[in-house]
């Protein structure tokens, strides 16, 4: 049976315009989804938009449109961006879709029946921008200001429906103990465990101060809190109110990865698993919480003019190409526990050193020599490839392991190392010199054959990162990209006699004048 693989992005608020943060997370998921697809997995890659809540209601009013019209316009913009960046999501869920609303209500009814909800009144510190209550300890830590917007927290009191999060403390602890890699990177897992030790407060599930949301079943004066509504997207998109085999999407749950930014980890690592526990549904397998992009050394802000918004990104793509944009995101991005700085100079240097000087140069060097020396024909039977088959096999195995653990930067490095080794081998064996001596023809054929097959495998491993040029390369070698993974990733797929043309993948680009 084909292995399933499921990955999700956060669903993005429709009151913001798409920017580097959203595109970064979605690109991470896209690279993983592509890596699973080339391994012939049955992939479900989900993204979408979060459309309810007081913020959307307010900005719609400011723009003199209905919240639905506001959500429609902005959700369309997020969808446009997906195709602009050739991101390969399977589905796009919008929380105002009937399929979502209906199922959220069904799940909430189930929670009610399970005894996990109660009605009560609550007073606490509230971050209006984030629509989130903070405990006294945390409010004090951030000096009663929002850690995101810097605006003062407000004292808020509400009569609400509550989810008994506190009742799940022990089960959550046990889960984290038995699955220490549940949250990645480990620094983030430790933060969650630390916070769990401070004790858990029950979570308000509903609000009464606005109407733009899903009504609470049986209590229509209450609207389901936007975060609770949003978290359910991961399973409503899979029609998971029907978890039986009759539902063709049920096979994708539990998701392999929820990929999110670090600021929304608590919801994903604690509240969401606890709700799933209450519903007796399987928990997601892993959560990856990445850090943040800053820009030219500073937090991105519209007023500083250093915001990497869509028009800015488009200038990079026009100059360097989409592959280059993805490469920078995926290999220099804040994928681990530290923030990453987006600098124009670093972008340029990364493009030049990795794509021009390594990927481009190595592949064009090898193909050019074959064209020149052997008239464009794959020269040798490389059955016996010296140490290269084993090296390539190792790179493939490492790459698979790194993707499985969501270590995307390491997976890219597995391929890059192979290319650097090929370069070194060429410098040491000097086939371009040997080619001048007819007696060395067989030796040259064997060297170049080994190089080309290793380059082919390295470039196959780079496909999820650089989909545009890498598929061009396979086509140039006349190799169908729909061949099964265990054939494509094997040494010797490239047969002697195949036609080889000289490739030029990444042109040198002048740095933009500031
Ligand atoms: N709607 C909620 C998520 C609900 S998920 C059930 C939300 N939306 S958001 O539009 O604010 O998107 C937040 C996400 O955007 C972050 O988790 C992260 O994936 C991405 N980023 C936003 N700014 C970012 C950076 N500066 N850097 C990297 N990614 C960041 O929160």
């Amino acid at each position: 049976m084909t292995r399933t693989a499921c990955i999700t992005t956060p669903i993005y608020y429709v009151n913001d315009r798409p920017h580097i943060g959203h595109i970064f997370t979605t690109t991470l998921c896209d690279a993983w989804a592509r890596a699973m697809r080339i391994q012939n997995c049955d992939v479900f890659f989900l993204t979408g938009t979060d459309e309810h809540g007081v913020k959307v209601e307010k900005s719609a009013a400011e723009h003199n449109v209905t919240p639905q019209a506001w959500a429609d316009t902005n959700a369309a913009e997020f969808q446009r961006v997906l195709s602009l960046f050739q991101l390969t999501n399977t589905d796009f869920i919008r929380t105002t879709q009937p399929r979502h609303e209906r199922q959220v209500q069904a799940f909430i009814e189930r929670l009610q029946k399970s005894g996990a909800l109660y009605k009560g009144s609550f007073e606490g510190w509230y971050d209006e921008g984030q629509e989130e209550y903070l405990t006294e300890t945390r409010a004090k830590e951030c000096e009663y200001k929002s850690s995101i917007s810097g605006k003062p927290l407000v004292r808020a009191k509400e009569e609400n429906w509550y989810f008994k999060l506190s009742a799940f403390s022990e089960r959550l602890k046990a889960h984290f103990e038995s699955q220490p890699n549940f949250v990645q990177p480990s620094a983030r897992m430790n933060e969650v465990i630390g916070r769990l030790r401070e004790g858990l407060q029950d979570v308000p599930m509903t609000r009464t101060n606005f109407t733009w949301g899903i009504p609470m079943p049986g209590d229509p004066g209450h609207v389901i809190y936007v975060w609770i509504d949003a978290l359910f997207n991961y399973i409503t998109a899979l029609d998971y109110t029907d978890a039986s085999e009759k539902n063709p999407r049920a096979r994708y749950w539990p998701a392999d990865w929820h990929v999110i930014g670090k600021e929304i980890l608590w919801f994903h690592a604690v509240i969401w698993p606890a709700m799933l526990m209450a519903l007796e549904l399987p928990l997601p397998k892993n959560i990856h919480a990445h850090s943040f992009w800053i820009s030219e050394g500073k937090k991105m802000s519209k007023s500083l003019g250093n915001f990497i918004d869509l028009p800015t990104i488009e200038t990079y793509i026009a100059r360097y190409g989409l592959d280059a944009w993805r490469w920078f995101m995926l290999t220099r991005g804040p994928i681990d526990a530290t923030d990453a700085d987006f600098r124009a100079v670093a972008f340029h240097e990364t493009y030049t050193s990795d794509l021009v000087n390594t990927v481009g140069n190595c592949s064009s060097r090898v193909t050019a020599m074959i064209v020149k020396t052997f008239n464009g024909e794959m020269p040798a039977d490389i059955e016996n490839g010296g140490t290269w088959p084993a090296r390539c096999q190792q790179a493939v195995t490492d790459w698979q392991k790194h993707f499985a653990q969501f270590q995307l930067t390491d997976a890219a490095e597995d391929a890059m190392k192979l290319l650097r080794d090929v370069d070194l081998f060429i410098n040491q064996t000097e086939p371009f010199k040997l080619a001048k001596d007819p007696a060395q023809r067989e030796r040259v054929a064997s060297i170049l054959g080994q190089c080309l097959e290793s380059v082919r495998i390295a470039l196959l491993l780079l496909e999820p990162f650089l989909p545009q040029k890498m598929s061009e390369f396979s086509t140039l070698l006349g190799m169908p990209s729909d061949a099964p993974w265990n054939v494509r990733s094997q040494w010797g797929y490239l047969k002697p006699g195949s036609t080889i043309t000289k490739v030029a993948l990444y042109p040198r680009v002048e740095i933009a004048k500031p």
Side-chain angles (χ1 to χ4, degrees):
M1 228 175 67
T2 319
R3 190 157 64 92
T4 57
C6 177
I7 191 158
T8 67
T9 74
I11 47 171
Y12 304 114
Y13 284 131
V14 278
N15 50 349
D16 207 356
R17 298 187 70 75
H19 58 66
I20 186 173
H22 311 122
I23 294 164
F24 171 64
T25 311
T26 315
T27 304
L28 291 179
C29 294
D30 181 73
W32 189 87
R34 286 176 187 266
M36 294 304 123
R37 267 187 222 117
I38 61 174
Q39 293 175 73
N40 307 123
C41 290
D42 168 13
V43 176
F44 195 87
F45 163 20
L46 179 66
T47 186
T49 39
D50 190 352
E51 308 191 355
H52 289 130
V54 72
K55 279 200 281 185
V56 177
E57 198 176 71
K58 273 190 190 161
S59 32
E62 282 160 19
H63 291 81
N64 268 327
V65 291
T66 64
Q68 187 65 61
W70 181 241
D72 289 347
T73 311
N74 291 341
E77 179 65 0
F78 275 97
Q79 277 168 311
R80 189 180 72 84
V81 163
L82 289 168
S83 62
L84 192 69
F85 287 80
Q86 297 174 25
L87 298 162
T88 57
N89 56 305
T90 318
D91 195 358
F92 188 94
I93 185 144
R94 302 182 50 190
T95 56
T96 56
Q97 287 168 335
R99 60 166 173 166
H100 176 76
E101 299 191 342
R102 182 173 30 84
Q103 291 184 82
V104 168
Q105 288 191 321
F107 283 124
I108 300 286
E109 272 170 4
R110 285 192 208 173
L111 281 176
Q112 235 161 356
K113 285 204 188 96
S114 79
L117 306 188
Y118 64 91
K119 208 168 179 179
S121 95
F122 175 82
E123 194 181 339
W125 293 108
Y126 188 60
D127 179 336
E128 286 184 308
Q130 290 301 99
E131 303 200 26
E132 183 183 1
Y133 275 98
L134 279 79
T135 60
E136 188 58 43
T137 329
R138 292 193 58 77
K140 200 169 171 186
E141 258 169 30
C142 43
E143 296 170 352
Y144 302 94
K145 284 188 200 123
S146 165
S147 57
I148 307 289
S149 68
K151 291 197 184 129
L153 302 174
V154 294
R155 208 58 203 160
K157 187 174 178 187
E158 291 179 51
E159 159 146 288
N160 280 321
W161 283 92
Y162 284 87
F163 171 60
K164 282 187 198 162
L165 182 62
S166 54
F168 292 89
S169 186
E170 291 309 313
R171 281 179 69 183
L172 286 165
K173 269 185 208 151
H175 182 70
F176 300 153
E177 266 162 32
S178 70
Q179 311 235 7
N181 296 325
F182 181 61
V183 171
Q184 277 194 12
S186 56
R188 296 272 110 84
M189 180 81 265
N190 295 338
E191 273 170 24
V192 171
I193 294 172
R195 240 181 106 177
L196 193 61
R197 282 202 205 101
E198 292 170 17
L200 289 177
Q201 273 186 350
D202 291 346
V203 186
M205 296 278 289
T206 61
R207 289 288 146 86
T208 49
N209 59 344
F210 67 100
T211 57
W212 181 239
I214 304 175
M216 179 72 181
D219 198 352
H222 286 249
V223 166
I224 297 165
Y225 173 38
V226 60
W227 260 105
I228 302 296
D229 161 358
L231 287 165
F232 278 106
N233 91 87
Y234 300 127
I235 55 177
T236 60
L238 301 175
D239 301 323
Y240 208 61
T241 40
D242 174 8
S244 79
E245 279 175 15
K246 273 185 267 153
N247 168 9
R249 287 188 165 187
R251 66 176 187 274
Y252 297 112
W253 190 259
D256 293 273
W257 291 100
H258 284 325
V259 183
I260 55 168
K262 60 183 175 183
E263 85 289 14
I264 57 175
L265 179 58
W266 187 250
F267 289 105
H268 284 83
V270 174
I271 299 177
W272 176 228
M275 287 201 296
L276 289 166
M277 284 172 177
L279 290 164
E280 294 179 18
L281 294 175
L283 307 195
K285 289 182 206 156
N286 287 101
I287 298 169
H288 184 92
H290 61 70
S291 305
F292 270 55
W293 279 106
I294 59 169
S295 164
E296 304 291 347
K298 297 199 181 74
K299 191 174 169 186
M300 282 192 288
S301 90
K302 302 214 162 100
S303 54
L304 280 178
N306 66 345
F307 210 87
I308 311 291
D309 55 10
L310 197 53
T312 310
I313 298 171
E314 286 182 298
T315 62
Y316 280 92
I317 294 180
R319 195 168 187 92
Y320 296 92
L322 188 54
D323 276 359
W325 169 262
R326 288 174 67 96
W327 186 255
F328 193 65
M329 292 292 100
L330 295 166
T331 62
R332 305 299 196 277
I335 192 161
D336 278 329
T338 37
D339 289 348
D341 194 4
F342 190 100
R343 290 185 306 117
V345 172
F347 190 106
H348 181 84
E349 285 171 0
T350 302
Y351 173 75
T352 307
S353 70
D354 292 356
L355 300 193
V356 181
N357 294 346
T358 307
V359 182
N361 187 50
C362 184
S363 54
S364 82
R365 205 175 173 197
V366 173
T367 51
M369 283 191 282
I370 293 177
V371 168
K372 192 168 165 207
T373 324
F374 299 99
N375 223 356
E377 211 178 83
M378 170 70 174
D381 184 352
I382 45 164
E383 201 90 328
N384 181 1
T387 59
W388 288 102
R391 288 202 221 184
C392 290
Q393 187 55 52
Q394 188 63 48
V396 171
T397 315
D398 291 347
W399 177 95
Q400 284 179 303
K401 190 187 83 198
H402 286 136
F403 263 109
Q405 297 172 351
F406 211 76
Q407 289 161 347
L408 272 53
T409 316
D410 297 323
E413 178 54 22
D414 296 328
M416 294 300 273
K417 179 164 185 313
L418 200 52
L419 291 177
R420 285 195 299 266
D421 286 350
V422 169
D423 263 334
L424 201 65
F425 181 61
I426 297 174
N427 295 348
Q428 283 164 350
T429 53
E430 302 188 313
F432 38 90
K433 280 195 191 152
L434 297 178
K436 291 176 189 144
D437 176 1
Q440 295 285 349
R441 204 166 161 81
E442 235 174 81
R443 167 97 179 111
V444 177
S446 145
I447 293 173
L448 292 181
Q450 288 169 10
C451 288
L452 185 62
E453 183 60 346
S454 306
V455 169
R456 180 192 69 80
I457 291 175
L459 268 52
L460 169 67
L461 303 185
L462 289 176
E463 250 183 51
F465 301 89
L466 306 166
Q468 285 196 317
K469 292 293 174 170
M470 297 304 103
S471 58
E472 203 177 289
F473 181 78
S474 310
T475 319
L476 280 172
L477 294 191
M479 287 181 310
S481 55
D482 53 1
W485 168 253
N486 53 12
V487 174
R488 288 182 88 195
S489 64
Q490 280 289 316
W491 181 264
Y493 179 45
L494 189 57
K495 297 284 180 265
S498 314
T499 309
I500 310 300
T501 32
K502 179 179 180 311
V503 299
L505 297 174
Y506 297 104
R508 214 161 274 286
V509 169
E510 289 295 305
I511 193 161
K513 300 264 175 316

